[in-house]
Amino acid sequence: MKVKFYHWYNAVLSALLTMLGFGACTNDGEDAPVEYGTPYSDYIVKGSVTDEAGNPLTGIKASIKAIEEYPGFAPYAYGLDSTVTDEQGKFLMKARAFISRPNIKLIMEDTDGSAGGGEFLSDTLALEDLPKQQKEPGQHWSSGTFELNANVKMKKKP
């Protein structure tokens, strides 16, 4: 009885997954494993935030966001990680991003108002424009771990 149930269960499940676009694959007789996945990279983003005179700014929110843009729709942003600068104006974040989504930004915002040394304008940097160094090689779907350095000078609000 159990064998018959599992036979029908597997048949129905296979049909359902096929209708949803999932399929089986073969390795053509080789002993190589089959993988499913999406290429990605791991990022370590660190740096410092200063005012135009070079003084460190505390309380500045640093965020890594992926920006999705589709024709006919407003851009959509979702956060990958965020932190606040410390007493020396330094920050450190880690994020994983899919390679097929290259539009990733580092956004710096003054969220504490005048408490951290004045009010400052927000700044946005593209991760692809930052100097990066590969720290670990990639395996399988991973292209590796990269360290990016961002030293940002923020301008005071007029």
Side-chain angles (χ1 to χ4, degrees):
M1 183 69 174
K2 273 188 177 181
V3 173
K4 199 175 225 184
F5 170 76
Y6 285 126
H7 173 74
W8 282 106
Y9 177 77
N10 287 339
V12 170
L13 187 59
S14 295
L16 179 63
L17 289 173
T18 301
M19 288 189 310
L20 291 173
F22 295 96
C25 58
T26 178
N27 59 6
D28 294 328
E30 298 174 16
D31 288 332
V34 178
E35 281 187 26
Y36 290 99
T38 302
Y40 66 92
S41 295
D42 289 315
Y43 296 102
I44 300 168
V45 182
K46 65 181 186 174
S48 62
V49 181
T50 60
D51 62 12
E52 293 177 296
N55 300 314
L57 296 177
T58 61
I60 300 294
K61 181 180 178 184
S63 304
I64 300 173
K65 293 187 178 183
I67 313 292
E68 300 284 344
E69 297 180 274
Y70 299 104
F73 295 95
Y76 171 74
Y78 59 92
L80 300 174
D81 197 5
S82 65
T83 189
V84 177
T85 57
D86 63 12
E87 294 81 27
Q88 290 86 35
K90 300 203 179 292
F91 65 92
L92 172 72
M93 294 180 284
K94 295 180 181 180
R96 174 171 286 172
F98 297 121
I99 295 172
S100 61
R101 307 277 195 254
N103 200 10
I104 302 171
K105 308 286 185 192
L106 174 63
I107 301 171
M108 311 304 284
E109 301 172 280
D110 184 4
T111 57
D112 67 355
S114 60
E119 294 187 40
F120 295 89
L121 298 170
S122 296
D123 198 3
T124 302
L125 306 167
L127 254 59
E128 62 192 31
D129 295 338
L130 296 175
K132 68 180 174 181
Q133 179 182 13
Q134 188 165 11
K135 291 296 189 181
E136 294 178 17
Q139 292 182 0
H140 305 290
W141 288 106
S142 170
S143 64
T145 301
F146 297 89
E147 184 176 280
L148 291 86
N149 290 303
N151 296 313
V152 181
K153 286 187 184 275
M154 296 187 70
K155 296 178 182 178
K156 280 200 173 197
K157 282 186 177 178

